[in-house]
C-alpha cells in the first residue's frame, strides 16, 4: 500500500501477542514458521498479480511449496487465492495479468505440493482443493472467451458464445456430478468440516472437540491477543475499500475470512494476527499522513494567507484544523504506546511462564513452588526399567517422553482415535475391565494428575468427562455412556451423591486412593477435594489390580504399577 | 440455420486468424496445439489403461497442462496488443521468465515421476 503502512505493520507484528503465543522461551511449534511462509507466499502472490510476470508467479509457487511443507493450514491459502481470483472476475477486474499469475501459481504449486508425502494426491481428490481446480477451469474458459471476443465482431461472437457455453457447461456439470457421486472426489475431512460447521466436531468427533485450542473464541481473547488492532481493523478495511485495487481486494478478503475462522477456533487467531496488523498499519499510516498534511501544510498556508491579507476566517479554520491534527497525532501516539505496554505485559504474564512448574501464593503471602511434575518424571526415569510403558492421558505424553524417557501409550500427536479411545475406556471402566485393557495394551505403569490436595484445577478428574466421551466414541467402548457418570439430577459430583459408576471407575480410584485420610483444609473433614470443594464419596477402598508406586510431594502426580497376573489361578 | 452460421463464424475466425496474427504468435500457437494433443493422448491412455502409477500419470498430465499454460502466458506477454497491461516486460524478459518457470516445472516433474 505504501512504505509507511508497511513499517507500521511490521512494528505491530513484531509484538502482537497472537503471534507470540505460538512460541515459548525459544521453542516453537511449526506454526511460527508457517505464518512467515504464508505471508511470504501472499506477498509474492500480490506482486505477481501486480506485474503479471511469470517470474514472480513461479517464485510464489515455490513459496507455497515451503508453506505446504510446514503446516496443514495451507488449505486456507489454496482457497484464499482462488477466491480472490473469483472475486476479481465477478468485479470485472479480471485481466491477463491475473490469468498469468493464477494459472502459473496453480499448476506449479499443485505439482509442488504433491511432492510432500503427507499431502500426496489430495489436491486432485478432496473437496478442499476443488475450488482451486474449479477456478482454474473457469480462468481458462474466461480467457478463451475474451480472446474470441477480441478477435471477432459481436454478432458472430454471440452465436459462437452461446453454443460454446452450452457445450462446456454441460460437460462440466456431468463430469463433476459423476465424480462426486462415485466417491472419487472425497467429501470434506473432519478437521476442516468443523470449521464450516462448528457443531459437527462436538457431536461426532469428541477428540477434536476436546482440544481446548479448537474451541470457539470469546471476545475477551480477541481483545487479549490483539488489543488496539481490533479497533484499527475496520478502519483499515475502510481505507482499502476507498482505494479499490486488485491487491486491496485481496487484503479485504483475507481479513474477512480470517476473522470468521478465528472466531471458530482459538488456534486460528494466529492466522488472523498478521492481517490485523497489516490492515491496522494501513489505517494508522493513512490517517496519520492525512493529518500530518494539515500540520505541514497549514504552516505554509497561514504564511501565504497573511501575506495576501486574507480575512481572519481562513487563519481560524486552518488553526482549527491544526488543532485537531495535533490532537489526533497525540491520541494515536497514546494508543500505540498503550498497545506496546499491553503486548509486553501479556507476553510476560501469559505466554512466558512454563506450565510445568506451578507457583501459588500461600496464605501468608510467600510463594510456594510446585515442582511435582519434574519430581515425578524424574522418579519414573530413575526407578523404573528402561522398557517400561506408561499409560496416561495424552496431554502428558510429550512431557513423559522427554523428561522421564519412557514409552507412552498415547501422546499429544497421536492421530489414532481408536487408540486414545481405548485409553479412555481403561480410565473409565471398573478395575477388572480396565485390567483387561491394560494387559492388552501391555501397560506397566499408570500416571494420573490429581489436583485435589493443592487446588490445581486442570487435573484428570476435571478432564475426565472428555475421557468418557472419547472412550465411548468407538465400537469397543459402547458400554461407556456419558450419562452413567452423572447423578440422577444431571450433575457431575464426586461426593456421596455421585453416581456409582463414577465412584468405582479406575480414574476415581487412582486419584483418590488414600485420600480419605488426608486433611487438606482446616475445619474440613478428611478427604476434602479442594478443586471440586466437596468431601469425596468413596473413601476407604483398596486397589486390586494396581499398587501405588509413587505420589509426588503435593499429590499432583500419582504413579501406579500394574500388578502381574497372579501366580496361582484364583486371586 | 444456426449450424451453418456457426460454420461461417468459424471459417471467418480462421481467415482472420491466418491473416492477422504475427508470425511469432503463430509459432507459439503451433507449440500450444502440440502440447494440447499430447495431453489429450495421455488422458485417453489413462482412461483406457487405468491409473496404476497414479503419480506418473499425474506428473505427465500436469506437466502438459503446465507447459500449455506457460505457453499461453508467454503468448499473452508477447502479443503487442496487450502491451498496455504488461508494462515493463519486454518479450525477451517474458521469454526468460518462461524458461525459468519451465526449469522449475521439469525439476518437479522429474522428481514426481518416481
Amino acid at each position: 500500500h505504501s512504505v509507511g503502512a508497511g513499517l507500521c505493520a511490521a512494528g505491530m507484528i513484531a509484538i502482537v501477542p497472537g503471534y507470540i503465543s505460538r512460541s515459548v522461551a525459544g521453542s516453537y511449534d511449526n506454526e511460527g514458521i508457517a505464518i512467515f511462509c504464508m505471508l511470504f507466499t501472499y506477498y509474492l502472490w500480490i506482486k505477481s498479480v501486480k506485474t503479471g510476470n511469470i517470474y514472480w508467479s513461479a517464485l510464489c509457487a515455490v513459496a507455497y511449496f515451503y508453506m505446504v511443507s510446514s503446516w496443514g493450514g495451507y488449505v486456507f491459502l489454496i482457497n484464499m487465492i482462488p477466491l480472490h481470483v473469483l472475486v476479481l472476475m465477478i468485479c470485472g477486474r479480471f485481466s491477463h495479468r491475473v490469468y498469468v499469475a493464477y494459472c502459473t501459481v496453480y499448476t506449479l504449486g499443485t505439482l509442488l505440493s504433491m511432492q510432500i508425502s503427507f499431502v500426496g494426491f489430495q489436491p486432485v481428490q478432496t473437496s478442499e482443493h476443488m475450488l482451486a481446480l474449479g477456478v482454474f477451469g473457469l480462468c481458462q474458459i474466461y480467457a478463451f472467451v475474451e480472446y474470441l471476443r477480441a478477435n471477432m465482431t459481436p454478432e458472430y461472437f454471440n452465436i459462437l458464445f452461446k453454443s460454446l457455453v452450452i457445450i462446456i457447461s454441460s460437460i462440466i456439470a456431468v463430469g463433476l456430478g459423476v465424480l462426486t457421486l462415485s466417491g472419487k472426489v472425497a467429501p470434506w475431512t473432519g478437521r476442516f468440516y468443523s470449521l464450516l460447521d462448528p457443531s459437527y466436531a462436538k457431536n461426532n468427533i469428541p477428540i477434536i472437540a476436546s482440544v481446548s485450542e479448537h474451541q470457539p473464541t470469546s471476545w475477551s481473547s480477541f481483545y487479549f491477543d490483539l488489543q488496539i488492532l481490533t479497533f484499527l481493523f475496520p478502519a483499515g478495511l475502510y481505507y482499502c475499500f476507498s482505494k479499490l485495487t486488485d491487491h486491496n481486494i485481496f487484503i479485504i478478503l483475507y481479513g474477512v475470512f480470517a476473522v470468521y475462522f478465528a472466531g471458530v477456533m482459538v488456534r486460528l487467531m494466529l492466522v488472523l494476527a498478521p492481517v490485523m496488523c497489516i490492515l491496522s498499519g494501513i489505517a494508522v499510516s493513512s490517517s496519520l499522513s492525512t493529518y500530518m498534511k494539515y500540520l505541514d501544510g497549514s504552516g505554509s498556508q497561514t504564511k501565504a494567507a497573511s501575506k495576501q491579507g486574507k480575512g481572519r476566517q481562513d487563519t481560524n479554520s486552518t488553526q482549527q484544523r491544526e488543532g485537531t491534527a495535533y490532537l489526533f497525532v497525540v491520541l494515536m501516539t497514546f494508543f500505540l504506546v498503550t498497545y506496546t505496554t499491553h503486548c509486553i505485559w501479556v507476553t510476560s504474564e501469559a505466554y512466558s511462564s512454563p506450565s510445568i512448574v506451578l507457583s501459588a501464593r500461600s496464605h501468608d503471602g510467600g510463594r510456594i513452588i510446585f515442582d511435582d511434575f519434574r519430581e515425578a518424571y524424574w522418579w519414573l526415569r530413575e526407578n523404573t526399567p528402561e522398557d517400561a510403558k506408561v499409560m496416561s492421558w495424552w496431554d502428558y505424553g510429550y512431557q513423559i517422553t522427554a523428561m522421564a524417557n519412557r514409552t507412552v501409550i498415547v501422546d499429544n500427536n497421536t492421530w489414532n482415535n481408536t487408540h486414545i479411545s481405548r485409553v479412555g475406556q481403561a480410565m473409565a471402566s471398573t478395575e477388572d475391565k480396565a485390567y483387561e485393557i491394560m494387559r492388552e495394551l501391555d501397560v506397566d505403569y499408570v500416571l494420573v494428575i490429581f489436583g485435589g490436595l493443592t487446588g490445581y484445577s486442570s487435573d484428570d478428574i476435571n478432564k475426565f468427562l472428555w475421557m468418557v466421551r472419547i472412550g465411548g466414541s468407538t465400537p469397543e467402548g459402547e458400554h461407556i455412556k456419558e450419562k452413567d457418570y452423572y447423578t440422577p439430577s444431571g450433575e457431575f459430583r464426586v461426593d456421596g451423591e455421585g453416581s456409582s459408576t463414577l465412584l468405582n471407575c479406575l480414574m476415581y480410584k487412582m486419584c483418590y486412593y488414600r485420600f480419605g485420610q488426608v486433611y487438606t483444609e482446616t475445619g474440613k473433614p478428611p478427604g476434602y477435594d479442594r478443586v471440586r470443594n466437596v468431601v469425596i464419596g468413596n473413601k476407604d477402598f483398596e486397589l486390586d489390580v494396581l499398587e501405588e508406586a509413587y505420589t509426588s510431594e503435593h499429590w499432583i502426580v500419582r504413579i501406579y504399577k500394574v500388578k502381574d497376573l497372579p501366580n496361582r489361578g484364583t486371586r | 440455420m444456426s449450424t451453418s452460421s456457426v460454420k461461417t463464424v468459424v471459417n471467418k475466425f480462421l481467415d482472420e486468424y491466418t491473416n492477422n496474427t504475427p508470425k511469432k504468435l503463430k509459432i507459439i500457437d503451433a507449440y500450444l496445439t502440440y502440447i494440447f494433443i499430447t495431453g489429450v493422448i495421455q488422458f485417453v491412455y489413462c482412461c483406457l489403461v487405468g491409473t496404476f502409477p497414479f503419480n506418473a500419470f499425474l506428473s505427465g498430465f500436469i506437466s502438459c497442462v503446465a507447459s500449455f499454460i506457460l505457453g499461453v502466458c508467454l503468448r499473452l506477454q508477447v502479443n503487442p496488443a496487450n502491451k498496455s497491461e504488461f508494462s515493463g516486460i519486454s518479450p525477451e524478459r517474458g521469454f526468460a521468465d518462461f524458461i525459468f518457470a519451465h526449469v522449475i516445472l521439469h525439476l518437479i516433474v522429474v522428481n514426481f515421476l518416481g
Side-chain angles (χ1 to χ4, degrees):
Chain A
H1 200 253
S2 68
V3 176
L7 200 59
C8 263
M12 285 183 186
I13 220 182
I15 47 178
V16 68
Y19 190 25
I20 290 190
S21 67
R22 285 338 275 187
S23 72
V24 173
S27 79
Y28 54 89
D29 202 355
N30 58 355
E31 283 132 0
I33 315 180
I35 294 293
F36 165 69
C37 302
M38 187 166 78
L39 286 178
F40 189 51
T41 315
Y42 281 145
Y43 164 70
L44 286 173
W45 164 248
I46 293 187
K47 197 125 187 144
S48 49
V49 166
K50 260 205 230 180
T51 58
N53 242 336
I54 299 184
Y55 174 66
W56 291 114
S57 321
L59 282 184
C60 182
V62 174
Y64 171 65
F65 172 59
Y66 188 25
M67 167 89 196
V68 172
S69 66
S70 63
W71 192 31
Y74 72 92
V75 177
F76 180 65
L77 218 112
I78 198 65
N79 280 319
M80 205 76 242
I81 292 184
L83 206 63
H84 179 227
V85 172
L86 201 62
V87 168
L88 283 179
M89 263 197 236
I90 297 177
C91 291
R93 304 178 77 108
F94 188 77
S95 61
H96 289 133
R97 288 195 311 273
V98 178
Y99 174 79
V100 167
Y102 181 63
C103 293
T104 320
V105 168
Y106 179 67
T107 41
L108 285 178
T110 311
L111 202 53
L112 275 169
S113 67
M114 291 202 270
Q115 307 300 308
I116 312 274
S117 42
F118 184 71
V119 172
F121 299 130
Q122 276 179 23
V124 291
Q125 280 176 340
T126 57
S127 308
E128 291 137 14
H129 299 90
M130 282 301 128
L131 180 66
L133 189 62
V135 173
F136 179 63
L138 209 58
C139 273
Q140 308 304 315
I141 299 176
Y142 199 90
F144 188 58
V145 163
E146 285 294 311
Y147 171 68
L148 288 181
R149 198 200 294 249
N151 286 349
M152 284 197 221
T153 52
E155 316 89 50
Y156 286 146
F157 176 71
N158 278 337
I159 301 172
L160 197 59
F161 184 62
K162 281 200 197 91
S163 45
L164 267 180
V165 160
I166 295 176
I167 297 176
I168 294 182
S169 48
S170 50
I171 295 180
I172 291 181
V174 167
L176 264 183
V178 163
L179 281 177
T180 327
L181 285 177
S182 68
K184 276 264 165 82
V185 175
W188 292 74
T189 51
R191 258 167 98 194
F192 300 110
Y193 193 65
S194 64
L195 284 179
L196 293 179
D197 179 15
S199 60
Y200 172 74
K202 200 145 205 255
N203 299 337
N204 296 18
I205 311 182
I207 220 180
I208 297 183
S210 73
V211 180
S212 70
E213 290 178 326
H214 288 178
Q215 305 302 329
T217 330
S218 61
W219 280 110
S220 51
S221 27
F222 266 111
Y223 186 73
F224 187 69
D225 270 346
L226 300 166
Q227 216 224 2
I228 194 176
L229 300 182
T230 43
F231 302 115
L232 290 177
F233 174 71
L237 273 183
Y238 165 72
Y239 276 114
C240 278
F241 266 115
S242 61
K243 268 205 255 173
L244 266 188
T245 60
D246 291 344
H247 26 284
N248 276 355
I249 294 186
F250 180 70
I251 299 270
I252 293 173
L253 273 180
Y254 178 30
V256 169
F257 275 99
V259 168
Y260 170 67
F261 284 123
V264 175
M265 242 198 215
V266 171
R267 198 173 189 198
L268 296 181
M269 180 78 77
L270 176 71
V271 171
L272 179 62
V275 72
M276 281 275 203
C277 293
I278 293 176
L279 279 170
S280 315
I282 293 178
V284 166
S285 91
S286 301
S287 30
L288 272 181
S289 56
T290 325
Y291 280 98
M292 287 293 200
K293 264 196 313 214
Y294 285 132
L295 281 184
D296 290 335
S298 56
S300 52
Q301 259 183 21
T302 43
K303 277 201 210 110
S306 57
K307 267 191 195 159
Q308 293 176 4
K310 283 204 178 150
R312 289 191 57 83
Q313 248 121 4
D314 272 352
T315 40
N316 256 348
S317 61
T318 46
Q319 264 180 0
Q320 251 180 8
R321 267 190 271 168
E322 214 180 283
T324 40
Y326 268 130
L327 184 66
F328 187 76
V329 171
V330 165
L331 211 60
M332 196 53 96
T333 329
F334 172 68
F335 279 141
L336 288 174
V337 166
T338 43
Y339 174 67
T340 345
T341 36
H342 170 88
C343 293
I344 297 176
W345 174 80
V346 161
T347 323
S348 66
E349 276 298 313
Y351 291 134
S352 290
S353 38
S355 50
I356 198 152
V357 177
L358 312 160
S359 72
R361 302 218 168 268
S362 68
H363 39 261
D364 57 352
R367 229 163 127 124
I368 317 183
I369 304 277
F370 296 120
D371 212 2
D372 289 38
F373 282 105
R374 295 195 302 151
E375 180 195 334
Y377 295 146
W378 203 253
W379 182 91
L380 255 188
R381 195 192 187 114
E382 301 281 311
N383 294 307
T384 56
E386 292 248 341
D387 60 349
K389 289 170 266 307
V390 181
M391 178 170 90
S392 71
W393 195 232
W394 56 268
D395 298 6
Y396 317 111
Y398 275 167
Q399 288 176 355
I400 298 180
T401 319
M403 285 196 260
N405 205 18
R406 295 283 175 269
T407 326
V408 281
I409 303 285
V410 285
D411 72 6
N412 309 54
N413 208 18
T414 306
W415 268 92
N416 188 346
N417 198 19
T418 321
H419 202 52
I420 302 188
S421 157
R422 211 80 185 99
V423 172
Q425 288 156 29
M427 298 290 192
S429 320
T430 55
E431 275 191 82
D432 297 324
K433 282 225 161 50
Y435 189 65
E436 283 168 26
I437 302 180
M438 288 197 287
R439 288 224 61 91
E440 176 199 324
L441 291 175
D442 202 18
V443 177
D444 297 314
Y445 288 90
V446 190
L447 188 147
V448 289
I449 305 290
F450 172 60
L453 190 81
T454 47
Y456 175 58
S457 58
S458 56
D459 65 350
D460 279 354
I461 293 278
N462 274 356
K463 292 183 190 163
F464 184 59
L465 276 177
W466 283 114
M467 296 188 203
V468 169
R469 284 181 196 132
I470 294 177
S473 69
T474 56
E476 291 113 31
E478 266 169 357
H479 57 278
I480 297 181
K481 295 187 211 359
E482 192 182 336
K483 63 175 174 46
D484 288 343
Y485 295 84
Y486 290 120
T487 62
S489 53
E491 299 170 275
F492 180 72
R493 295 171 73 144
V494 293
D495 55 6
E497 308 276 324
S499 82
S500 61
T501 338
L502 176 64
L503 261 45
N504 284 311
C505 72
L506 190 72
M507 172 60 70
Y508 184 91
K509 288 195 172 169
M510 283 197 290
C511 285
Y512 293 122
Y513 182 59
R514 289 192 302 114
F515 192 61
Q517 293 99 38
V518 176
Y519 282 98
T520 52
E521 224 171 278
T522 49
K524 298 273 190 311
Y528 182 73
D529 182 343
R530 285 172 92 179
V531 178
R532 265 67 56 178
N533 291 323
V534 288
V535 180
I536 60 172
N538 194 1
K539 277 194 202 180
D540 299 311
F541 53 86
E542 279 301 319
L543 290 172
D544 288 332
V545 299
L546 300 172
E547 56 186 10
E548 185 176 3
Y550 186 72
T551 301
S552 63
E553 187 188 338
H554 301 106
W555 287 47
I556 292 190
V557 184
R558 310 196 70 181
I559 306 180
Y560 293 86
K561 184 168 166 40
V562 177
K563 282 192 199 163
D564 258 337
L565 291 166
N567 262 332
R568 288 182 254 163
T570 52
R571 200 183 291 136
Chain B
M1 170 59 195
S2 58
T3 40
S4 66
S5 61
V6 169
K7 228 168 173 283
T8 42
V9 165
V10 172
N11 280 336
K12 183 131 197 308
F13 174 63
L14 285 176
D15 283 336
E16 264 195 50
Y17 176 74
T18 28
N19 292 338
N20 288 355
T21 32
K23 197 144 188 245
K24 262 195 203 167
L25 294 185
K26 280 197 194 157
I27 297 179
I28 300 183
D29 283 340
Y31 170 69
L32 288 178
T33 19
Y34 158 68
I35 300 254
F36 186 67
I37 294 179
T38 320
V40 167
I41 293 179
Q42 279 200 342
F43 191 66
V44 167
Y45 173 78
C46 172
C47 290
L48 289 178
V49 175
T51 60
F52 165 52
F54 195 52
N55 56 330
F57 161 65
L58 268 184
S59 73
F61 188 62
I62 293 190
S63 106
C64 277
V65 170
S67 312
F68 185 77
I69 297 290
L70 286 176
V72 172
C73 296
L74 180 65
R75 188 181 198 280
L76 285 174
Q77 285 179 346
V78 163
N79 196 352
N82 290 340
K83 206 89 196 273
S84 57
E85 284 205 33
F86 293 106
S87 58
I89 309 179
S90 62
E92 288 75 32
R93 174 77 200 273
F95 191 65
D97 292 341
F98 173 74
I99 301 287
F100 176 70
H102 258 288
V103 165
I104 298 184
L105 173 69
H106 288 297
L107 272 175
I108 312 167
V109 166
V110 165
N111 183 30
F112 201 40
L113 273 175

